[in-house]
Amino acid sequence: MGKHMNIDNNNQLLKKITCINYNKKDILSILQKYGMCILPNYVADKICDVAKEKCIKRVEVKEDVDFEDGSYRRFNGKNVPPKGRGQDKRVYHADCFSNEMADFKNDKFIQSICESYMSKEESPYSVHVQIYDRNNIPNDLTRGPHLDSFETNTFKAFLYLDNVTLDDGPTSYILETHKDKTLRESKQKGNPGPKYLNKPENKSTHPTNFSLKELGQERINNWVKVTGNKGDVILFDTWGVHCGTNISSNGDRHVIVNYYKQGKDLPRSNFGYDYKIDEKNSGNFK
């Protein structure tokens, strides 16, 4: 999806995956068909503003730090890859210092959607890590289209803490690829794909990344850049091919991400604490 993307097509794709009535049955239908659903203006502007201010204070520090309340900032310290995380700065476990985001983490409606979608209503799901992600470094490394894992699909909920335009590097998703078992299995048996779509001179690869050739034009036509407004919540299945997008010189994206996992009232995980531990625990790395 290059800079000459078709705006009209993108808007049509956004319309397909937006549910304005918050009806659970409708939301599940959209998720099952497309792999993603947008709930517009789900969280009040004031709540987003307060949470964003608290998060900025944690992320805009000189170097990575483990805070006493259990949250930790990761961008440029010893526990991230030698070349850094790329363009996004993160604070893990925003619920440690933001009551507003603790409420979002424990939102029962979204949790019930996750449980129904994952077909595990007899076994509850909850959030094991909540991440604040700030993307305000233009022309830096942006990971290309990928899956999170071959082993299983997972469920995420994004909350935009501010309006997100094309300049702000919105998240993107290729609709209906969450059901594309053939694509997933061919990638698992095949070669790693280019890790950074916006930096072809960088030859890094990743086992779950796709090249544009592997995706093909038909899938690329269903690749949506998820622009939106402050308070929008985006639900999606991580078996769908997805990635962030590069930001412009005046771009700045603030997003909270809930990572759901099977289990009731899960304790906070150490996800993102040390990239070496994450790689060791992931089936995508050998």
Side-chain angles (χ1 to χ4, degrees):
M1 179 178 280
K3 51 188 171 183
H4 302 301
M5 62 172 284
N6 185 320
I7 299 295
D8 289 338
N9 182 62
N10 199 70
N11 289 337
Q12 286 298 315
L13 295 176
L14 287 172
K15 187 176 180 180
K16 287 181 179 181
I17 59 175
T18 298
C19 185
I20 61 175
N21 61 13
Y22 301 168
N23 179 277
K24 183 176 177 180
K25 184 177 179 181
D26 292 344
I27 294 168
L28 288 169
S29 177
I30 292 171
L31 280 168
Q32 287 156 1
K33 180 173 177 59
Y34 298 109
M36 172 177 276
C37 182
I38 301 169
L39 307 182
N41 307 119
Y42 187 79
V43 176
D45 285 2
K46 185 176 181 179
I47 290 174
C48 292
D49 292 341
V50 171
K52 186 178 81 168
E53 183 177 354
K54 292 178 180 178
C55 288
I56 288 174
K57 288 179 179 177
R58 293 289 177 114
V59 84
E60 294 303 332
V61 293
K62 185 176 180 180
E63 58 186 18
D64 288 349
V65 59
D66 298 348
F67 297 101
E68 291 184 0
D69 56 24
S71 61
Y72 42 94
R73 186 257 203 189
R74 291 293 179 267
F75 175 62
N76 57 357
K78 64 180 182 178
N79 290 329
V80 299
K83 294 184 179 180
R85 281 202 43 79
Q87 64 186 10
D88 54 334
K89 308 167 190 174
R90 290 184 169 184
V91 177
Y92 293 76
H93 304 303
D95 55 296
C96 287
F97 57 86
S98 169
N99 292 332
E100 299 79 15
M101 292 303 95
D103 288 342
F104 178 60
K105 173 183 176 180
N106 296 312
D107 186 289
K108 297 301 182 186
F109 182 59
I110 296 178
Q111 182 178 314
S112 73
I113 292 169
C114 170
E115 290 167 347
S116 296
Y117 177 76
M118 301 296 282
S119 301
K120 300 284 187 181
E121 289 185 273
E122 73 283 358
S123 180
Y125 274 67
S126 55
V127 176
H128 70 97
V129 61
Q130 183 186 74
I131 298 173
Y132 163 70
D133 186 293
R134 185 175 193 181
N135 179 340
N136 65 343
I137 303 176
N139 300 315
D140 208 337
L141 298 175
T142 304
R143 187 178 173 189
H146 63 276
L147 309 173
D148 282 3
S149 169
F150 292 126
E151 282 67 33
T152 184
N153 62 328
T154 58
F155 192 88
K156 290 182 184 178
F158 276 42
L159 167 61
Y160 283 168
L161 295 181
D162 212 343
N163 295 339
V164 176
T165 70
L166 292 174
D167 287 336
D168 299 312
T171 192
S172 70
Y173 194 90
I174 303 183
L175 304 183
E176 302 188 44
T177 51
H178 68 301
K179 300 179 292 186
D180 199 333
K181 186 178 179 181
T182 300
L183 177 69
R184 191 165 60 249
E185 290 181 345
S186 65
K187 167 51 63 176
Q188 188 169 13
K189 295 173 183 175
N191 297 318
K195 190 170 183 179
Y196 303 115
L197 192 62
N198 68 324
K199 299 281 185 178
E201 68 277 11
N202 187 309
K203 302 304 180 183
S204 299
T205 60
H206 192 281
T208 66
N209 270 52
F210 293 86
S211 67
L212 297 183
K213 183 177 180 180
E214 286 175 304
L215 294 171
Q217 191 59 49
E218 185 175 351
R219 294 188 186 96
I220 289 173
N221 289 341
N222 274 326
W223 193 348
V224 60
K225 285 190 175 182
V226 189
T227 54
N229 296 316
K230 182 191 305 183
D232 288 357
V233 167
I234 301 100
L235 311 175
F236 73 93
D237 180 335
T238 62
W239 257 356
V241 179
H242 59 282
C243 64
T245 55
N246 201 34
I247 67 170
S248 69
S249 58
N250 61 344
D252 194 3
R253 189 191 73 169
H254 304 264
V255 62
I256 292 285
V257 188
N258 285 347
Y259 287 65
Y260 292 83
K261 197 173 181 180
Q262 193 170 348
K264 183 178 181 181
D265 300 326
L266 290 171
R268 296 185 181 99
S269 72
N270 65 351
F271 180 70
Y273 187 81
D274 186 331
Y275 83 99
K276 294 185 289 294
I277 295 175
D278 289 343
E279 291 189 358
K280 183 178 179 180
N281 292 338
S282 171
N284 300 326
F285 296 87
K286 305 300 181 187

